Amino acid sequence: QRVNVTVRSGLPMVLAGSAEPCAQLHVSSIGVVGSAEQNRRHSARFFDVLTAQLGLSPERIIIRFYPLEPWQIGKNGTVVTFL
């Protein structure tokens, strides 16, 4: 219920000046990605999965963390603040 994943493959992308295969992961969450220490742990786990599943080196992967507030997410006709 709390995780949504969208995969868009085949998009042109340049990372560190190279168009070699790469991946970008955007992670947004309420109360889970709000600090450097939290994101350090999440990053390690995501890199483990992404390098294993995609066969990419860590240098070809970038992760962006976006902390959200409950009022920024609409769900069931309201916002998470009221759920």
Side-chain angles (χ1 to χ4, degrees):
Q1 282 188 339
R2 294 184 176 210
V3 176
N4 296 298
V5 177
T6 301
V7 176
R8 291 188 262 175
S9 62
L11 297 176
M13 187 171 152
V14 174
L15 180 62
S18 170
E20 292 298 313
C22 59
Q24 181 173 232
L25 175 64
H26 292 225
V27 179
S28 56
S29 180
I30 298 169
V32 178
V33 297
S35 74
E37 287 304 316
Q38 286 175 315
N39 292 347
R40 174 189 255 180
R41 290 188 301 272
H42 299 315
S43 185
R45 292 182 191 127
F46 284 130
F47 271 90
D48 287 346
V49 171
L50 292 172
T51 55
Q53 294 296 315
L54 301 177
L56 296 173
S57 68
E59 297 81 23
R60 300 302 301 156
I61 300 169
I62 189 166
I63 302 173
R64 294 182 181 189
F65 295 98
Y66 297 94
L68 298 172
E69 296 296 326
W71 55 267
Q72 292 176 300
I73 303 295
K75 186 175 179 182
N76 295 334
T78 186
V79 292
V80 174
T81 301
F82 301 109
L83 295 178

